[in-house]
Amino acid sequence: MKKDMTLNRKRVFLEKFFHVLFLLAALFAVISVALIIIFIFGKGLAPFFPNNQFGTYNFIDFITGLQWTPQSGQYGIGYMIISSILATLGAIVIGVPIALLTSVFIAEVAPKPLANIVRPAVELLAAIPSVLYGVFGFAVITPLVKQISPNPSGDSLLAVIVVLTIMILPTIVAVVETSIRAVPQSYKEGSLALGASKMQTIFKVVLPAAKSGILTGVILGVGRAIGETMAVILVAGNPESGIPHTIFDRVRLLTTNIALEQGYAAELHEQMLFSTAVILFIFIMVINLVLSRIQKKAGDR
Amino acid sequence: MSRKLKDKLLNGLIWLSAAFSVGILITIVAFIFSNGWSKISWDFLTNDYESQTQYVNVTSDQSYTAPGSLPRDAVFSENLGIAIEPNENGYEVAWIDDNSPVKDAKNNAEEAFPIKVGYQLEQINGEGANLKIKAGTNAEDLINALDASDELMIKVVSPGGGIFPMIVSTLMLILVALLFSAPVGILAAIYMVEYAKPGKLVNLIRFATEVLSGIPSVVYGLFGMLIFVNTLKLGMSILSGGLTLMILLLPTMMRTTEEALKAVPMSYREASYGLGANKIQTLSKVVLPSAIPGILVGVILSIGRTIGESAALLFTIGTFAKLPINPTSGNLSLFETGTSLTVRAYVEVKESGNVEMAAAIGIVILVIVFTLNMISRLISKKFSKANY
């Protein structure tokens, strides 16, 4: 009897122990996010408050400034914000339709054996590291852009948009294709029975039914585009100032700004890089929230 | 526009888009292979990156016999147990006996610098030996110099241009990243699926995981540099890179493990409880083993992500193309810096515009990543075929 009781107590202890262990592991995610936010915001917001050990900088100047020259104390990321927005917009405007149509192809139009080739092919695109896209852009895209560009160099907003478009394709296709396939057969059958053609069914019944999945795909695509660094750093040009007036102008993005100078920035300069990260962070959060709100509205139908 | 025409147009656009997507894949892969193929060779995979010239001291204590088969014009040194063959610049090491003293060669700073196959011999100094080796050097003179004394100082040149250091660093990085992220991810997923009750805590954890997966890798790199490299003073090292990746990979590991656990039917668990097992026994003997294929897919995904990651590693692991070896002991160390294949490919283009080298590294990366992709797909297929 006594032996049974100690055995039982041991088991109870073990159960409790593992429960706590699993809980701690799950909380690790929360702790990591908290740490990341604390450190990045801590270091990034410091220059905008008085008594910063490396000097104070005006936040409005930071956000709207069109020049980034650390040597002379200029830290304006306004032009980078605009460039990032333009690049992402361009990639979405071109990439989403292509991704949509490709998903339609895989899910609805293609004969089964062909679909089984195209689907893995698009998945493979997602597996290619972003640096290799950058190398491709550097060696193939920028020379092409240079040929049609009035500017001396091929590094341009256009090159960035092209590379970003290619990169977000697989991300969007993966999500959209799944949600197209999730549309109930009865919707399609009903539409066809009413006399609609295949194309009409796809564009007027299936796609609207897959709206929420499509929006998810767009959200993921936007997130990928605005956060991409290595693929575009080799084709962007990264000038120290200047809003792009044409698609052939060189651009510096929020992300490339951080990656380029991270190695040697010190003191105020380093803090400013963290500030850039803070702005990037806020941007992504805002975009996610806005798009989620739209998605909820669309889903409520 | 008539409906038929409109339909044909849309159909055409659909086929065009699909062709574009596949075409992009083919173009990029073709680009990488065509540009990098010329560099691919066994030496490329096994050589050091930097060609090094060193004066090393070798102490011989016994005689060695030549192996049965030697390359045609190779000559053998009984003193050192190595075979040397001529090349266009002079002579290089072709074969080394397992017990050869050249494996323990040290330079003047007492650092280990073993002579390996492929190294170029340029000069031999010692008692009774004083030979500068050139293209036309007589093989006999060479052997006489090598066999002249028990203590020799040899000037060797190791070949460069290889990616061996990057391969080793990448493997170490994968190990560290997995070692840290897999347990945490799996344990966390177990909590979320098996223990958690819907409520504020679960929502918080899920929200945190979503935020983590939305953070761009360059921000991870910034954070990793701040915390691991600077604050914890780990410096740019495999460890710093691995720890940064641990946080980056956490959402992926958690998500795939959760899916794998959810796919195990409740009936399994109920049967186990019905037989009298407690929760831990059920988890460890019934649920987890059934979820292994899904967890494996998560692991493979994480490996692929690690190999492809660059922005988060640039300043946490470093960019030096060297083996992460402790200089005095000559052992591999997690605290040393090295660089991964992907990061190096970026550096090659950024710093020297060397697209060929980057493409050659790209070929190695693509082969590995595509193979991993295929393996994970095979596992998924087998997994879904399992009768539940």
Side-chain angles (χ1 to χ4, degrees):
Chain A
M1 189 64 174
K2 208 165 181 194
K3 185 175 168 193
D4 279 342
M5 286 184 69
T6 35
L7 207 66
N8 212 19
R9 219 173 293 157
K10 182 169 157 204
R11 274 217 198 101
V12 168
F13 170 72
L14 267 178
E15 293 251 350
K16 267 267 144 158
F17 171 74
F18 275 105
H19 187 152
V20 171
L21 185 69
F22 295 139
L23 176 61
L24 282 176
L27 286 177
F28 190 80
V30 180
I31 300 175
S32 307
V33 170
L35 276 176
I36 292 181
I37 294 187
I38 293 175
F39 274 85
I40 304 251
F41 276 70
K43 219 164 174 170
L45 292 178
F48 307 121
F49 289 96
N51 302 325
N52 180 35
Q53 67 175 132
F54 302 122
T56 319
Y57 200 83
N58 187 307
F59 187 68
I60 304 294
D61 286 341
F62 177 64
I63 298 269
T64 58
L66 301 178
Q67 184 125 348
W68 177 277
T69 33
Q71 307 94 290
S72 52
Q74 293 259 51
Y75 297 104
I77 62 167
Y79 74 107
M80 298 183 219
I81 297 180
I82 298 182
S83 301
S84 285
I85 295 179
L86 286 175
T88 308
L89 223 77
I92 292 289
V93 160
I94 306 180
V96 168
I98 299 183
L100 254 177
L101 293 176
T102 307
S103 313
V104 167
F105 180 82
I106 300 175
E108 297 284 331
V109 171
K112 199 120 192 266
L114 198 54
N116 285 337
I117 298 180
V118 178
R119 190 183 305 120
V122 178
E123 277 178 21
L124 278 180
L125 262 181
I128 300 180
S130 24
V131 172
L132 294 182
Y133 284 103
V135 177
F136 176 72
F138 176 79
V140 174
I141 309 263
T142 37
L144 284 175
V145 171
K146 190 166 169 186
Q147 285 182 0
I148 56 174
S149 160
N151 290 338
S153 151
D155 296 342
S156 57
L157 181 60
L158 179 61
V160 171
I161 291 180
V162 170
V163 174
L164 281 180
T165 309
I166 303 176
M167 293 206 65
I168 65 175
L169 267 181
T171 316
I172 304 180
V173 169
V175 177
V176 172
E177 196 245 326
T178 314
S179 50
I180 290 182
R181 268 192 301 155
V183 173
Q185 271 288 96
S186 52
Y187 283 35
K188 289 183 263 184
E189 289 166 358
S191 168
L192 290 170
L194 286 170
S197 71
K198 183 153 193 175
M199 288 296 125
Q200 283 180 322
T201 308
I202 293 176
F203 286 94
K204 291 196 197 286
V205 175
V206 177
L207 285 187
K211 222 185 323 180
S212 117
I214 297 178
L215 268 163
T216 309
V218 173
I219 297 178
L220 287 173
V222 169
R224 186 102 201 255
I226 209 169
E228 189 48 58
T229 323
M230 303 312 273
V232 295
I233 202 171
L234 295 169
V235 301
N238 303 305
E240 292 187 342
S241 67
I243 305 176
H245 293 288
T246 74
I247 52 172
F248 297 112
D249 288 337
R250 293 149 66 223
V251 288
R252 184 182 276 227
L253 307 171
L254 292 168
T255 45
T256 57
N257 191 37
I258 301 176
L260 278 169
E261 319 218 322
Q262 200 183 352
Y264 55 84
E267 305 182 344
L268 185 62
H269 187 184
E270 198 189 13
Q271 287 180 323
M272 283 303 173
L273 290 183
F274 279 86
S275 317
T276 314
V278 168
I279 301 296
L280 191 59
F281 213 90
I282 297 180
F283 248 94
I284 295 182
M285 291 284 120
V286 165
I287 293 177
N288 265 320
L289 276 165
V290 167
L291 289 176
S292 297
R293 186 75 51 84
I294 300 181
Q295 189 184 26
K296 271 213 190 93
K297 273 201 160 167
D300 277 343
R301 290 277 193 81
Chain B
M1 205 189 304
S2 80
R3 206 230 283 185
K4 265 217 161 125
L5 195 59
K6 203 166 170 195
D7 278 5
K8 274 221 165 78
L9 200 69
L10 284 172
N11 203 20
L13 278 173
I14 292 177
W15 278 83
L16 217 73
S17 298
F20 177 78
S21 304
V22 179
I24 288 285
L25 175 72
I26 299 179
T27 312
I28 294 190
V29 175
F31 163 77
I32 300 275
F33 272 80
S34 67
N35 265 336
W37 188 250
S38 56
K39 282 200 175 247
I40 296 288
S41 68
W42 185 248
D43 281 338
F44 179 69
L45 296 172
T46 52
N47 280 345
D48 252 333
Y49 185 77
E50 302 283 356
S51 169
Q52 284 197 58
T53 307
Q54 287 269 13
Y55 288 88
V56 293
N57 299 304
V58 181
T59 312
S60 163
D61 52 358
Q62 66 176 91
S63 249
Y64 299 88
T65 44
S69 60
L70 276 180
R72 211 183 335 130
D73 37 7
V75 287
F76 186 77
S77 158
E78 288 176 355
N79 191 25
L80 299 177
I82 58 177
I84 312 111
E85 62 179 350
N87 62 24
E88 52 192 25
N89 294 324
Y91 284 86
E92 68 178 56
V93 179
W95 180 88
I96 302 181
D97 187 295
D98 283 340
N99 301 316
S100 168
V102 304
K103 285 188 170 184
D104 299 318
K106 286 195 167 58
N107 65 13
N108 287 326
E110 287 301 310
E111 291 169 356
F113 195 84
I115 302 182
K116 301 191 187 130
V117 173
Y119 281 26
Q120 191 86 356
L121 299 177
E122 288 208 341
Q123 201 170 318
I124 305 179
N125 288 326
E127 263 189 57
N130 215 314
L131 180 68
K132 274 207 170 79
I133 306 173
K134 284 186 289 252
T137 305
N138 193 320
E140 229 187 281
D141 291 336
L142 175 60
I143 294 299
N144 287 339
L146 286 172
D147 290 346
S149 155
D150 279 346
E151 308 255 347
L152 292 173
M153 181 160 90
I154 309 179
K155 181 179 176 192
V156 289
V157 181
S158 67
I163 58 169
F164 187 67
M166 273 75 82
I167 294 183
V168 171
S169 301
T170 308
L171 283 171
M172 289 173 68
L173 181 68
I174 294 176
L175 254 132
V176 174
L178 276 180
L179 212 76
F180 285 124
S181 69
V184 179
I186 295 176
L187 292 176
I190 293 179
Y191 179 80
M192 297 298 274
V193 175
E194 308 281 336
Y195 284 86
K197 285 175 269 292
K200 283 214 186 119
L201 186 60
V202 170
N203 288 344
L204 181 66
I205 299 177
R206 222 170 268 298
F207 178 70
T209 318
E210 293 226 2
V211 173
L212 274 183
S213 57
I215 298 180
S217 28
V218 67
V219 175
Y220 275 108
L222 208 57
F223 175 71
M225 189 179 78
L226 180 62
I227 282 234
F228 300 121
V229 177
N230 292 335
T231 310
L232 292 182
K233 299 240 187 299
L234 292 173
M236 292 213 280
S237 60
I238 309 275
L239 197 57
S240 296
L243 288 170
T244 310
L245 283 181
M246 162 181 66
I247 312 179
L248 200 147
L249 295 172
L250 191 62
T252 312
M253 279 306 314
M254 273 181 73
R255 207 176 301 141
T256 37
T257 309
E258 273 186 65
E259 297 284 316
L261 289 172
K262 281 193 204 160
V264 176
M266 265 319 242
S267 53
Y268 279 37
R269 297 182 184 83
E270 289 163 359
S272 174
Y273 290 137
L275 287 170
N278 62 24
K279 196 154 191 176
I280 302 299
Q281 289 171 322
T282 307
L283 272 175
S284 58
K285 294 187 200 288
V286 177
V287 179
L288 267 184
S290 313
I292 293 242
I295 299 181
L296 255 167
V297 167
V299 168
I300 294 181
L301 263 168
S302 301
I303 297 181
R305 184 92 196 261
T306 306
I307 295 182
E309 194 47 64
S310 40
L313 292 173
L314 253 186
F315 295 105
T316 48
I317 201 179
T319 52
F320 279 129
K322 66 183 262 291
L323 279 168
I325 299 188
N326 184 308
T328 27
S329 68
N331 295 328
L332 288 174
S333 159
L334 293 177
F335 296 97
E336 292 291 318
T337 179
T339 191
S340 77
L341 290 164
T342 317
V343 174
R344 188 69 210 173
Y346 164 72
V347 173
E348 288 292 324
V349 179
K350 185 112 220 299
E351 313 231 319
S352 25
N354 192 343
V355 176
E356 275 170 352
M357 186 64 168
I361 301 180
I363 295 181
V364 177
I365 297 177
L366 283 183
V367 167
I368 300 178
V369 165
F370 284 177
T371 313
L372 284 175
N373 200 287
M374 233 182 301
I375 297 179
S376 109
R377 205 168 297 155
L378 272 165
I379 297 181
S380 302
K381 231 182 242 172
K382 271 201 148 184
F383 183 34
S384 63
K385 278 213 189 106
N387 0 349
Y388 272 152

